PDB file of all heavy atoms in Angstrom:
ATOM      1  N   ALA T  48       0.818  -1.222   0.000  1.00 96.00           N
ATOM      2  CA  ALA T  48       0.000   0.000   0.000  1.00 96.00           C
ATOM      3  C   ALA T  48       0.848   1.267   0.000  1.00 96.00           C
ATOM      4  O   ALA T  48       0.306   2.363  -0.030  1.00 96.00           O
ATOM      5  CB  ALA T  48      -0.929   0.003   1.216  1.00 96.00           C
ATOM      6  N   GLN T  49       2.171   1.136  -0.002  1.00 96.00           N
ATOM      7  CA  GLN T  49       3.036   2.302   0.114  1.00 96.00           C
ATOM      8  C   GLN T  49       3.157   3.063  -1.214  1.00 96.00           C
ATOM      9  O   GLN T  49       2.954   2.488  -2.290  1.00 96.00           O
ATOM     10  CB  GLN T  49       4.416   1.863   0.606  1.00 96.00           C
ATOM     11  CG  GLN T  49       4.365   1.276   2.006  1.00 96.00           C
ATOM     12  CD  GLN T  49       5.731   0.821   2.484  1.00 96.00           C
ATOM     13  OE1 GLN T  49       6.404   1.538   3.201  1.00 96.00           O
ATOM     14  NE2 GLN T  49       6.134  -0.371   2.075  1.00 96.00           N
ATOM     15  N   PRO T  50       3.498   4.350  -1.143  1.00 96.00           N
ATOM     16  CA  PRO T  50       3.605   5.179  -2.354  1.00 96.00           C
ATOM     17  C   PRO T  50       4.608   4.606  -3.350  1.00 96.00           C
ATOM     18  O   PRO T  50       5.683   4.139  -2.971  1.00 96.00           O
ATOM     19  CB  PRO T  50       4.091   6.530  -1.805  1.00 96.00           C
ATOM     20  CG  PRO T  50       3.662   6.551  -0.390  1.00 96.00           C
ATOM     21  CD  PRO T  50       3.747   5.131   0.084  1.00 96.00           C
ATOM     22  N   GLY T  51       4.207   4.631  -4.621  1.00 96.00           N
ATOM     23  CA  GLY T  51       5.077   4.186  -5.697  1.00 96.00           C
ATOM     24  C   GLY T  51       4.997   2.714  -6.018  1.00 96.00           C
ATOM     25  O   GLY T  51       5.483   2.274  -7.077  1.00 96.00           O
ATOM     26  N   MET T  52       4.410   1.924  -5.145  1.00 96.00           N
ATOM     27  CA  MET T  52       4.349   0.477  -5.371  1.00 96.00           C
ATOM     28  C   MET T  52       3.440   0.126  -6.562  1.00 96.00           C
ATOM     29  O   MET T  52       3.830  -0.617  -7.461  1.00 96.00           O
ATOM     30  CB  MET T  52       3.860  -0.234  -4.111  1.00 96.00           C
ATOM     31  CG  MET T  52       4.843  -0.195  -2.949  1.00 96.00           C
ATOM     32  SD  MET T  52       6.203  -1.329  -3.220  1.00 96.00           S
ATOM     33  CE  MET T  52       6.982  -1.305  -1.607  1.00 96.00           C
ATOM     34  N   ALA T  53       2.212   0.656  -6.549  1.00 95.00           N
ATOM     35  CA  ALA T  53       1.249   0.314  -7.602  1.00 95.00           C
ATOM     36  C   ALA T  53       1.767   0.730  -8.975  1.00 95.00           C
ATOM     37  O   ALA T  53       1.586   0.013  -9.968  1.00 95.00           O
ATOM     38  CB  ALA T  53      -0.094   0.978  -7.308  1.00 95.00           C
ATOM     39  N   LYS T  54       2.413   1.883  -9.037  1.00 94.00           N
ATOM     40  CA  LYS T  54       2.947   2.378 -10.312  1.00 94.00           C
ATOM     41  C   LYS T  54       3.935   1.390 -10.909  1.00 94.00           C
ATOM     42  O   LYS T  54       4.011   1.229 -12.134  1.00 94.00           O
ATOM     43  CB  LYS T  54       3.618   3.731 -10.089  1.00 94.00           C
ATOM     44  CG  LYS T  54       4.254   4.326 -11.335  1.00 94.00           C
ATOM     45  CD  LYS T  54       4.949   5.640 -11.016  1.00 94.00           C
ATOM     46  CE  LYS T  54       5.643   6.207 -12.250  1.00 94.00           C
ATOM     47  NZ  LYS T  54       6.366   7.463 -11.943  1.00 94.00           N
ATOM     48  N   ASN T  55       4.689   0.723 -10.066  1.00 96.00           N
ATOM     49  CA  ASN T  55       5.698  -0.226 -10.527  1.00 96.00           C
ATOM     50  C   ASN T  55       5.197  -1.668 -10.573  1.00 96.00           C
ATOM     51  O   ASN T  55       5.988  -2.600 -10.675  1.00 96.00           O
ATOM     52  CB  ASN T  55       6.936  -0.143  -9.633  1.00 96.00           C
ATOM     53  CG  ASN T  55       7.733   1.125  -9.875  1.00 96.00           C
ATOM     54  OD1 ASN T  55       7.391   1.922 -10.750  1.00 96.00           O
ATOM     55  ND2 ASN T  55       8.785   1.328  -9.114  1.00 96.00           N
ATOM     56  N   GLY T  56       3.871  -1.841 -10.469  1.00 95.00           N
ATOM     57  CA  GLY T  56       3.295  -3.181 -10.580  1.00 95.00           C
ATOM     58  C   GLY T  56       3.533  -4.060  -9.383  1.00 95.00           C
ATOM     59  O   GLY T  56       3.493  -5.298  -9.487  1.00 95.00           O
ATOM     60  N   LEU T  57       3.765  -3.467  -8.225  1.00 97.00           N
ATOM     61  CA  LEU T  57       3.985  -4.230  -7.004  1.00 97.00           C
ATOM     62  C   LEU T  57       2.692  -4.302  -6.208  1.00 97.00           C
ATOM     63  O   LEU T  57       2.221  -3.305  -5.660  1.00 97.00           O
ATOM     64  CB  LEU T  57       5.092  -3.583  -6.171  1.00 97.00           C
ATOM     65  CG  LEU T  57       6.511  -3.777  -6.717  1.00 97.00           C
ATOM     66  CD1 LEU T  57       7.470  -2.790  -6.081  1.00 97.00           C
ATOM     67  CD2 LEU T  57       6.989  -5.203  -6.494  1.00 97.00           C
ATOM     68  N   SER T  58       2.105  -5.486  -6.156  1.00 96.00           N
ATOM     69  CA  SER T  58       0.860  -5.701  -5.423  1.00 96.00           C
ATOM     70  C   SER T  58       0.686  -7.194  -5.213  1.00 96.00           C
ATOM     71  O   SER T  58       1.387  -8.014  -5.820  1.00 96.00           O
ATOM     72  CB  SER T  58      -0.339  -5.136  -6.197  1.00 96.00           C
ATOM     73  OG  SER T  58      -0.624  -5.953  -7.320  1.00 96.00           O
ATOM     74  N   LEU T  59      -0.280  -7.554  -4.362  1.00 96.00           N
ATOM     75  CA  LEU T  59      -0.600  -8.971  -4.181  1.00 96.00           C
ATOM     76  C   LEU T  59      -1.173  -9.580  -5.451  1.00 96.00           C
ATOM     77  O   LEU T  59      -1.160 -10.800  -5.625  1.00 96.00           O
ATOM     78  CB  LEU T  59      -1.591  -9.145  -3.026  1.00 96.00           C
ATOM     79  CG  LEU T  59      -1.004  -9.158  -1.617  1.00 96.00           C
ATOM     80  CD1 LEU T  59      -2.117  -9.197  -0.579  1.00 96.00           C
ATOM     81  CD2 LEU T  59      -0.057 -10.338  -1.417  1.00 96.00           C
ATOM     82  N   ASP T  60      -1.690  -8.747  -6.342  1.00 95.00           N
ATOM     83  CA  ASP T  60      -2.267  -9.245  -7.582  1.00 95.00           C
ATOM     84  C   ASP T  60      -1.204  -9.758  -8.547  1.00 95.00           C
ATOM     85  O   ASP T  60      -1.510 -10.543  -9.446  1.00 95.00           O
ATOM     86  CB  ASP T  60      -3.084  -8.140  -8.252  1.00 95.00           C
ATOM     87  CG  ASP T  60      -4.538  -8.526  -8.401  1.00 95.00           C
ATOM     88  OD1 ASP T  60      -4.933  -9.582  -7.880  1.00 95.00           O
ATOM     89  OD2 ASP T  60      -5.290  -7.779  -9.056  1.00 95.00           O
ATOM     90  N   THR T  61       0.032  -9.291  -8.389  1.00 96.00           N
ATOM     91  CA  THR T  61       1.104  -9.745  -9.266  1.00 96.00           C
ATOM     92  C   THR T  61       2.216 -10.474  -8.514  1.00 96.00           C
ATOM     93  O   THR T  61       2.884 -11.332  -9.090  1.00 96.00           O
ATOM     94  CB  THR T  61       1.724  -8.564 -10.030  1.00 96.00           C
ATOM     95  OG1 THR T  61       2.012  -7.510  -9.114  1.00 96.00           O
ATOM     96  CG2 THR T  61       0.775  -8.039 -11.094  1.00 96.00           C
ATOM     97  N   TRP T  62       2.422 -10.133  -7.240  1.00 98.00           N
ATOM     98  CA  TRP T  62       3.483 -10.761  -6.454  1.00 98.00           C
ATOM     99  C   TRP T  62       2.898 -11.278  -5.141  1.00 98.00           C
ATOM    100  O   TRP T  62       3.016 -10.656  -4.098  1.00 98.00           O
ATOM    101  CB  TRP T  62       4.613  -9.761  -6.191  1.00 98.00           C
ATOM    102  CG  TRP T  62       5.295  -9.323  -7.451  1.00 98.00           C
ATOM    103  CD1 TRP T  62       5.127  -8.143  -8.105  1.00 98.00           C
ATOM    104  CD2 TRP T  62       6.250 -10.069  -8.215  1.00 98.00           C
ATOM    105  NE1 TRP T  62       5.916  -8.096  -9.223  1.00 98.00           N
ATOM    106  CE2 TRP T  62       6.620  -9.262  -9.324  1.00 98.00           C
ATOM    107  CE3 TRP T  62       6.832 -11.326  -8.064  1.00 98.00           C
ATOM    108  CZ2 TRP T  62       7.536  -9.692 -10.277  1.00 98.00           C
ATOM    109  CZ3 TRP T  62       7.749 -11.752  -9.027  1.00 98.00           C
ATOM    110  CH2 TRP T  62       8.096 -10.940 -10.112  1.00 98.00           C
ATOM    111  N   PRO T  63       2.236 -12.442  -5.175  1.00 98.00           N
ATOM    112  CA  PRO T  63       1.552 -12.976  -3.993  1.00 98.00           C
ATOM    113  C   PRO T  63       2.526 -13.398  -2.896  1.00 98.00           C
ATOM    114  O   PRO T  63       3.705 -13.679  -3.154  1.00 98.00           O
ATOM    115  CB  PRO T  63       0.780 -14.172  -4.548  1.00 98.00           C
ATOM    116  CG  PRO T  63       1.531 -14.573  -5.776  1.00 98.00           C
ATOM    117  CD  PRO T  63       2.091 -13.310  -6.351  1.00 98.00           C
ATOM    118  N   VAL T  64       2.005 -13.457  -1.673  1.00 98.00           N
ATOM    119  CA  VAL T  64       2.800 -13.817  -0.497  1.00 98.00           C
ATOM    120  C   VAL T  64       2.069 -14.944   0.228  1.00 98.00           C
ATOM    121  O   VAL T  64       1.018 -14.724   0.831  1.00 98.00           O
ATOM    122  CB  VAL T  64       2.975 -12.611   0.447  1.00 98.00           C
ATOM    123  CG1 VAL T  64       3.858 -12.993   1.636  1.00 98.00           C
ATOM    124  CG2 VAL T  64       3.559 -11.417  -0.297  1.00 98.00           C
ATOM    125  N   GLY T  65       2.616 -16.155   0.167  1.00 98.00           N
ATOM    126  CA  GLY T  65       1.920 -17.286   0.754  1.00 98.00           C
ATOM    127  C   GLY T  65       2.839 -18.256   1.458  1.00 98.00           C
ATOM    128  O   GLY T  65       4.034 -18.011   1.638  1.00 98.00           O
ATOM    129  N   THR T  66       2.264 -19.398   1.815  1.00 98.00           N
ATOM    130  CA  THR T  66       2.997 -20.444   2.536  1.00 98.00           C
ATOM    131  C   THR T  66       3.218 -21.676   1.679  1.00 98.00           C
ATOM    132  O   THR T  66       3.748 -22.678   2.157  1.00 98.00           O
ATOM    133  CB  THR T  66       2.197 -20.880   3.778  1.00 98.00           C
ATOM    134  OG1 THR T  66       0.966 -21.502   3.339  1.00 98.00           O
ATOM    135  CG2 THR T  66       1.873 -19.700   4.672  1.00 98.00           C
ATOM    136  N   GLY T  67       2.795 -21.629   0.421  1.00 98.00           N
ATOM    137  CA  GLY T  67       2.789 -22.814  -0.420  1.00 98.00           C
ATOM    138  C   GLY T  67       4.156 -23.286  -0.843  1.00 98.00           C
ATOM    139  O   GLY T  67       5.194 -22.711  -0.490  1.00 98.00           O
ATOM    140  N   PRO T  68       4.201 -24.346  -1.655  1.00 98.00           N
ATOM    141  CA  PRO T  68       5.476 -24.978  -2.018  1.00 98.00           C
ATOM    142  C   PRO T  68       6.355 -24.157  -2.954  1.00 98.00           C
ATOM    143  O   PRO T  68       7.537 -24.444  -3.098  1.00 98.00           O
ATOM    144  CB  PRO T  68       5.040 -26.285  -2.685  1.00 98.00           C
ATOM    145  CG  PRO T  68       3.645 -26.027  -3.173  1.00 98.00           C
ATOM    146  CD  PRO T  68       3.043 -25.088  -2.180  1.00 98.00           C
ATOM    147  N   PHE T  69       5.776 -23.123  -3.593  1.00 98.00           N
ATOM    148  CA  PHE T  69       6.538 -22.361  -4.579  1.00 98.00           C
ATOM    149  C   PHE T  69       6.398 -20.858  -4.349  1.00 98.00           C
ATOM    150  O   PHE T  69       5.446 -20.393  -3.713  1.00 98.00           O
ATOM    151  CB  PHE T  69       6.077 -22.714  -6.000  1.00 98.00           C
ATOM    152  CG  PHE T  69       6.329 -24.153  -6.367  1.00 98.00           C
ATOM    153  CD1 PHE T  69       5.308 -25.094  -6.272  1.00 98.00           C
ATOM    154  CD2 PHE T  69       7.579 -24.570  -6.781  1.00 98.00           C
ATOM    155  CE1 PHE T  69       5.535 -26.417  -6.588  1.00 98.00           C
ATOM    156  CE2 PHE T  69       7.818 -25.895  -7.098  1.00 98.00           C
ATOM    157  CZ  PHE T  69       6.799 -26.819  -7.005  1.00 98.00           C
ATOM    158  N   VAL T  70       7.355 -20.129  -4.914  1.00 98.00           N
ATOM    159  CA  VAL T  70       7.384 -18.674  -4.865  1.00 98.00           C
ATOM    160  C   VAL T  70       7.457 -18.164  -6.294  1.00 98.00           C
ATOM    161  O   VAL T  70       8.238 -18.678  -7.111  1.00 98.00           O
ATOM    162  CB  VAL T  70       8.609 -18.169  -4.073  1.00 98.00           C
ATOM    163  CG1 VAL T  70       8.674 -16.646  -4.093  1.00 98.00           C
ATOM    164  CG2 VAL T  70       8.579 -18.690  -2.648  1.00 98.00           C
ATOM    165  N   LEU T  71       6.645 -17.164  -6.631  1.00 98.00           N
ATOM    166  CA  LEU T  71       6.715 -16.549  -7.951  1.00 98.00           C
ATOM    167  C   LEU T  71       7.980 -15.702  -8.027  1.00 98.00           C
ATOM    168  O   LEU T  71       8.153 -14.757  -7.256  1.00 98.00           O
ATOM    169  CB  LEU T  71       5.475 -15.682  -8.195  1.00 98.00           C
ATOM    170  CG  LEU T  71       5.386 -14.984  -9.563  1.00 98.00           C
ATOM    171  CD1 LEU T  71       5.286 -16.012 -10.679  1.00 98.00           C
ATOM    172  CD2 LEU T  71       4.178 -14.051  -9.603  1.00 98.00           C
ATOM    173  N   THR T  72       8.883 -16.037  -8.951  1.00 98.00           N
ATOM    174  CA  THR T  72      10.166 -15.340  -9.041  1.00 98.00           C
ATOM    175  C   THR T  72      10.323 -14.519 -10.320  1.00 98.00           C
ATOM    176  O   THR T  72      11.155 -13.618 -10.368  1.00 98.00           O
ATOM    177  CB  THR T  72      11.332 -16.334  -8.953  1.00 98.00           C
ATOM    178  OG1 THR T  72      11.194 -17.325  -9.987  1.00 98.00           O
ATOM    179  CG2 THR T  72      11.353 -17.013  -7.587  1.00 98.00           C
ATOM    180  N   GLN T  73       9.554 -14.846 -11.357  1.00 97.00           N
ATOM    181  CA  GLN T  73       9.590 -14.061 -12.591  1.00 97.00           C
ATOM    182  C   GLN T  73       8.168 -13.832 -13.071  1.00 97.00           C
ATOM    183  O   GLN T  73       7.365 -14.775 -13.116  1.00 97.00           O
ATOM    184  CB  GLN T  73      10.384 -14.780 -13.684  1.00 97.00           C
ATOM    185  CG  GLN T  73      11.865 -14.916 -13.403  1.00 97.00           C
ATOM    186  CD  GLN T  73      12.594 -15.586 -14.559  1.00 97.00           C
ATOM    187  OE1 GLN T  73      12.350 -15.293 -15.723  1.00 97.00           O
ATOM    188  NE2 GLN T  73      13.502 -16.501 -14.234  1.00 97.00           N
ATOM    189  N   TYR T  74       7.877 -12.592 -13.425  1.00 96.00           N
ATOM    190  CA  TYR T  74       6.552 -12.242 -13.936  1.00 96.00           C
ATOM    191  C   TYR T  74       6.763 -11.349 -15.153  1.00 96.00           C
ATOM    192  O   TYR T  74       7.018 -10.157 -15.031  1.00 96.00           O
ATOM    193  CB  TYR T  74       5.741 -11.515 -12.865  1.00 96.00           C
ATOM    194  CG  TYR T  74       4.307 -11.201 -13.252  1.00 96.00           C
ATOM    195  CD1 TYR T  74       3.257 -11.958 -12.748  1.00 96.00           C
ATOM    196  CD2 TYR T  74       3.995 -10.154 -14.105  1.00 96.00           C
ATOM    197  CE1 TYR T  74       1.947 -11.680 -13.093  1.00 96.00           C
ATOM    198  CE2 TYR T  74       2.694  -9.863 -14.460  1.00 96.00           C
ATOM    199  CZ  TYR T  74       1.669 -10.626 -13.956  1.00 96.00           C
ATOM    200  OH  TYR T  74       0.371 -10.353 -14.305  1.00 96.00           O
ATOM    201  N   GLU T  75       6.705 -11.947 -16.339  1.00 95.00           N
ATOM    202  CA  GLU T  75       6.828 -11.201 -17.585  1.00 95.00           C
ATOM    203  C   GLU T  75       5.444 -11.160 -18.218  1.00 95.00           C
ATOM    204  O   GLU T  75       4.944 -12.178 -18.690  1.00 95.00           O
ATOM    205  CB  GLU T  75       7.842 -11.860 -18.509  1.00 95.00           C
ATOM    206  CG  GLU T  75       9.252 -11.905 -17.937  1.00 95.00           C
ATOM    207  CD  GLU T  75      10.226 -12.599 -18.871  1.00 95.00           C
ATOM    208  OE1 GLU T  75      10.189 -12.313 -20.080  1.00 95.00           O
ATOM    209  OE2 GLU T  75      11.011 -13.434 -18.382  1.00 95.00           O
ATOM    210  N   GLN T  76       4.838  -9.993 -18.215  1.00 92.00           N
ATOM    211  CA  GLN T  76       3.451  -9.828 -18.638  1.00 92.00           C
ATOM    212  C   GLN T  76       3.200 -10.481 -19.991  1.00 92.00           C
ATOM    213  O   GLN T  76       3.886 -10.191 -20.979  1.00 92.00           O
ATOM    214  CB  GLN T  76       3.114  -8.332 -18.714  1.00 92.00           C
ATOM    215  CG  GLN T  76       1.686  -8.027 -19.100  1.00 92.00           C
ATOM    216  CD  GLN T  76       0.699  -8.296 -17.972  1.00 92.00           C
ATOM    217  OE1 GLN T  76       1.014  -8.093 -16.810  1.00 92.00           O
ATOM    218  NE2 GLN T  76      -0.485  -8.736 -18.322  1.00 92.00           N
ATOM    219  N   ASP T  77       2.204 -11.384 -20.012  1.00 91.00           N
ATOM    220  CA  ASP T  77       1.750 -12.028 -21.246  1.00 91.00           C
ATOM    221  C   ASP T  77       2.861 -12.792 -21.964  1.00 91.00           C
ATOM    222  O   ASP T  77       2.790 -13.002 -23.174  1.00 91.00           O
ATOM    223  CB  ASP T  77       1.138 -10.998 -22.205  1.00 91.00           C
ATOM    224  CG  ASP T  77      -0.023 -10.260 -21.598  1.00 91.00           C
ATOM    225  OD1 ASP T  77      -0.665 -10.822 -20.703  1.00 91.00           O
ATOM    226  OD2 ASP T  77      -0.278  -9.103 -21.995  1.00 91.00           O
ATOM    227  N   ARG T  78       3.891 -13.203 -21.230  1.00 94.00           N
ATOM    228  CA  ARG T  78       4.994 -13.927 -21.853  1.00 94.00           C
ATOM    229  C   ARG T  78       5.453 -15.125 -21.043  1.00 94.00           C
ATOM    230  O   ARG T  78       5.458 -16.249 -21.540  1.00 94.00           O
ATOM    231  CB  ARG T  78       6.172 -12.981 -22.098  1.00 94.00           C
ATOM    232  CG  ARG T  78       7.331 -13.642 -22.850  1.00 94.00           C
ATOM    233  CD  ARG T  78       8.412 -12.625 -23.205  1.00 94.00           C
ATOM    234  NE  ARG T  78       9.549 -13.298 -23.835  1.00 94.00           N
ATOM    235  CZ  ARG T  78      10.597 -13.756 -23.171  1.00 94.00           C
ATOM    236  NH1 ARG T  78      10.650 -13.603 -21.846  1.00 94.00           N
ATOM    237  NH2 ARG T  78      11.589 -14.361 -23.808  1.00 94.00           N
TER     238      ARG T  78
END
C-alpha cells in the first residue's frame, strides 16, 4: 500500500505472499 508500489506493478495481484510450495520469481506480462 506504500507510495510508488502500484505504479511499478507491485501488489498482491502480481506478487503474492503465501505459505505454499513455490514462490513466484519471474513475472513477464503475457509472456
Side-chain angles (χ1 to χ4, degrees):
Q49 296 179 98
M52 291 285 191
K54 178 182 177 182
N55 287 357
L57 286 163
S58 72
L59 278 174
D60 241 7
T61 48
W62 296 103
V64 182
T66 65
F69 297 98
V70 177
L71 181 64
T72 57
Q73 293 182 43
Y74 185 103
E75 298 179 45
Q76 182 74 35
D77 302 334
R78 184 174 176 268

